[in-house]
């Protein structure tokens, strides 16, 4: 399959005006997520094996008492898959994603995030269609409603 056939096989809303534009975007994703994400995940895993946290502030990660290189290595050997998944939950290779609102939206903002109000005060804010919306994956992975000990 060549680029032209791939572009034509996509649903209309995903087709690009040129095959070069499609391939540029595919290569960006491969480079960003494939190479960059893999490198960041590997770096974080190596840091956690050493009892360090990489880019995540140390106070956001609770290593068990007595955590050291030997214990980390044992945990990794016991289940590399689970060890790496937990590292990537705590220190995700990709920390955020951005999209745009498909329709107007009202959002409850609080803790002085994006609004001019006192800490702890909540405020309903209006955002028009097309406004950029960023998801902070690294913080959602610490939601105490989803994780027993985030």
């Amino acid at each position: 399959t060549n680029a032209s056939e791939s572009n034509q096989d996509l649903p209309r809303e995903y087709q690009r005006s040129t095959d070069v534009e499609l391939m540029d975007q595919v290569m960006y994703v491969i480079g960003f997520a494939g190479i960059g994400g893999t490198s960041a995940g590997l770096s974080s895993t190596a840091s956690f094996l050493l009892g360090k946290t990489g880019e995540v502030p140390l106070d956001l990660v609770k290593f068990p008492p007595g955590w050291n290189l030997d214990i980390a290595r044992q945990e990794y050997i016991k289940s590399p898959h689970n060890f790496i998944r937990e590292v990537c939950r705590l220190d995700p290779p990709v920390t955020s994603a951005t999209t745009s609102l498909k329709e107007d939206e009202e959002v409850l903002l609080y803790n002085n995030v994006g609004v001019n109000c006192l800490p702890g005060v909540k405020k309903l804010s209006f955002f028009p269609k097309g406004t950029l919306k960023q998801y902070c994956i690294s913080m959602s992975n610490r939601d105490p409603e989803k994780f027993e000990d985030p």
Side-chain angles (χ1 to χ4, degrees), residues 17-36:
S17 58
T18 68
D19 301 335
V20 171
E21 181 183 2
L22 175 65
M23 290 300 104
D24 280 348
Q25 291 179 351
V26 167
M27 293 308 294
Y28 174 79
V29 169
I30 290 171
F32 179 74
I35 296 168

Side-chain angles (χ1 to χ4, degrees), residues 63-117:
F63 289 105
W67 185 262
N68 61 39
L69 181 57
D70 290 331
I71 293 171
R73 190 178 297 132
Q74 290 169 15
E75 289 297 314
Y76 177 82
I77 290 168
K78 183 169 54 175
S79 178
H81 179 81
N82 288 346
F83 189 90
I84 293 168
R85 284 179 55 116
E86 183 65 2
V87 166
C88 289
R89 179 184 75 81
L90 293 169
D91 188 10
V94 177
T95 58
S96 63
T98 304
T99 186
S100 59
L101 297 177
K102 303 236 183 276
E103 55 189 42
D104 294 348
E105 188 174 323
E106 286 190 325
V107 177
L108 188 60
L109 299 176
Y110 58 95
N111 290 336
N112 240 3
V113 177
V115 294
N116 188 12
C117 63

Side-chain angles (χ1 to χ4, degrees), residues 28-54:
Y28 174 79
V29 169
I30 290 171
F32 179 74
I35 296 168
T38 301
S39 297
L42 178 61
S43 175
S44 293
T45 300
S47 293
F48 274 68
L49 281 167
L50 296 172
K52 300 177 181 176
T53 59

